[in-house]
Amino acid sequence: MSTVLPNIERLSARVIRILGLNPGPFTLQGTNTYIVGTGRRRILIDTGEGKAGYPSLVRQALREQDCKIQHVLVTHWHYDHIGGIRDVCGLQAGDSIPLFKFPRVSAADEEIGGKHLSYSFLSKDEEVFKTEGATLRALYTPGHTDDHMALFLEEENAVFSGDCVLGEGTAVFEDLFDYMKSLQRLADLNPTRIYPGHGPVVENAKKLLDDYIAHRNLREKQILDVMESGEPREYTAMDLVKVIYKDTPESLHLAAAGNVGHHLQKLQKENRICALDEGRRWKSSKL
């Protein structure tokens, strides 16, 4: 059962979470957005998907803290993280709010639904954003999306993980090869806390990151064990599912095949398997 989260909650001396009011099977309790800092101007991380009640929550939190938004940092392009940008910027009429994110690899133009709104794209990894009481280091962590950004909060040894790591369950991803590298990058920071894009705060951060990595490595080992056993042969993703997920209901096999497909693409990038028939069949590079 999911943890119940209040719409607005102070999580530390310098972090306040505001829910995006968009609960669902993929967003859990809703998108987590965060006001970060201790002074009169603070940083907002993500903006939800534009639900009607969200701007009022942001306005309430800003009023209670007697502060304004210095700028917005966007973890990635998914609508449940950018949909509230126009409303947030409208809260400070006459006071423009810079919007920062990493650019997408696959799209030259990223539009925001509003006049005079555009992103300032980050041109380098580990760019630092400072506000009173908080220092945030932008980390390029692709995998969930090609533009994904996590943020390291130096004062707390904490990570705002976006959708790279969730507070409950596991995350989805576009590219497992990149995603695993991003998970390891976050694990190497040895953070004590994770502020995720969805779900509750993670206190045992390093363990969760290690568990994410171990889970994917176990699935990869299962795939290779099948492909490298016995006589050389070719496999489709569904062939592998029928062996590895034999105790899983068949109604879930199609979704499992998609997951296996991500692993196969990663293994191909590592030259551990070969793709045949335009990626419809695969075989081990060892056999």
Side-chain angles (χ1 to χ4, degrees):
M1 186 174 182
S2 295
T3 305
V4 176
L5 304 179
N7 288 340
I8 302 175
E9 184 177 8
R10 175 172 288 283
L11 303 174
S12 77
R14 56 182 54 81
V15 179
I16 296 170
R17 180 183 58 218
I18 306 174
L19 286 183
L21 303 180
N22 56 325
F26 296 106
T27 58
L28 304 181
Q29 299 89 338
T31 303
N32 294 331
T33 73
Y34 298 96
I35 293 176
V36 184
T38 60
R40 297 292 299 275
R41 297 181 69 82
R42 305 188 189 185
I43 294 171
L44 177 67
I45 299 174
D46 286 336
T47 67
E49 66 178 48
K51 291 296 184 181
Y54 176 72
S56 296
L57 293 179
V58 176
R59 185 183 296 110
Q60 177 185 335
L62 295 175
R63 184 175 61 248
E64 290 174 352
Q65 299 302 311
D66 190 24
C67 66
K68 289 186 175 184
I69 298 171
Q70 177 178 320
H71 43 247
V72 174
L73 304 181
V74 178
T75 60
H76 62 291
W77 69 268
H78 284 168
Y79 190 71
D80 60 314
H81 294 258
I82 69 168
I85 286 177
R86 181 174 55 181
D87 292 333
V88 166
C89 289
L91 294 176
Q92 295 183 187
D95 185 7
S96 63
I97 302 174
L99 309 167
F100 294 95
K101 71 184 292 294
F102 281 109
R104 295 192 67 190
V105 173
S106 56
D109 185 30
E110 297 187 62
E111 294 184 356
I112 304 171
K115 293 181 179 179
H116 312 301
L117 295 177
S118 61
Y119 294 117
S120 295
F121 291 114
L122 302 182
S123 59
K124 64 179 182 179
D125 193 17
E126 300 208 20
E127 189 161 336
V128 173
F129 294 88
K130 291 186 177 182
T131 192
E132 186 176 335
T135 307
L136 291 165
R137 181 154 37 103
L139 307 174
Y140 182 50
T141 49
H144 176 71
T145 58
D146 59 13
D147 64 338
H148 195 277
M149 172 175 65
L151 293 148
F152 182 67
L153 178 57
E154 294 184 0
E155 288 79 1
E156 296 186 8
N157 189 39
V159 169
F160 292 92
S161 64
D163 284 5
C164 190
V165 177
L166 306 182
E168 294 174 331
T170 56
V172 297
F173 42 82
E174 294 177 348
D175 187 306
L176 181 58
F177 180 80
D178 288 341
Y179 181 64
M180 292 295 286
K181 288 181 177 296
S182 293
L183 286 177
Q184 190 60 58
R185 182 178 191 186
L186 296 183
D188 288 345
L189 293 171
N190 196 23
T192 54
R193 173 180 271 200
I194 291 174
Y195 296 110
H198 304 274
V201 173
V202 178
E203 299 294 353
N204 198 347
K206 181 62 163 57
K207 181 180 184 304
L208 181 65
L209 287 162
D210 289 344
D211 288 347
Y212 263 55
I213 293 168
H215 173 72
R216 292 298 165 196
N217 284 339
L218 174 61
R219 187 67 73 209
E220 182 175 287
K221 182 179 183 302
Q222 291 172 325
I223 291 170
L224 288 173
D225 284 348
V226 173
M227 297 184 74
E228 294 173 359
S229 63
E231 293 297 318
R233 60 163 290 189
E234 301 165 3
Y235 295 86
T236 65
M238 190 56 74
D239 291 336
L240 294 165
V241 166
K242 289 178 180 178
V243 178
I244 298 167
Y245 292 84
K246 61 185 178 182
D247 297 325
T248 301
E250 283 195 23
S251 60
L252 300 177
H253 279 194
L254 188 60
N259 183 46
V260 168
H262 283 299
H263 280 276
L264 293 170
Q265 290 164 13
K266 173 182 178 290
L267 291 167
Q268 182 192 22
K269 287 184 178 182
E270 296 169 342
N271 297 316
R272 300 167 76 183
I273 65 172
C274 302
L276 305 168
D277 194 18
E278 297 183 341
R280 286 186 282 271
R281 294 174 294 117
W282 309 80
K283 71 174 185 177
S284 170
S285 298
K286 286 187 175 181
L287 302 176

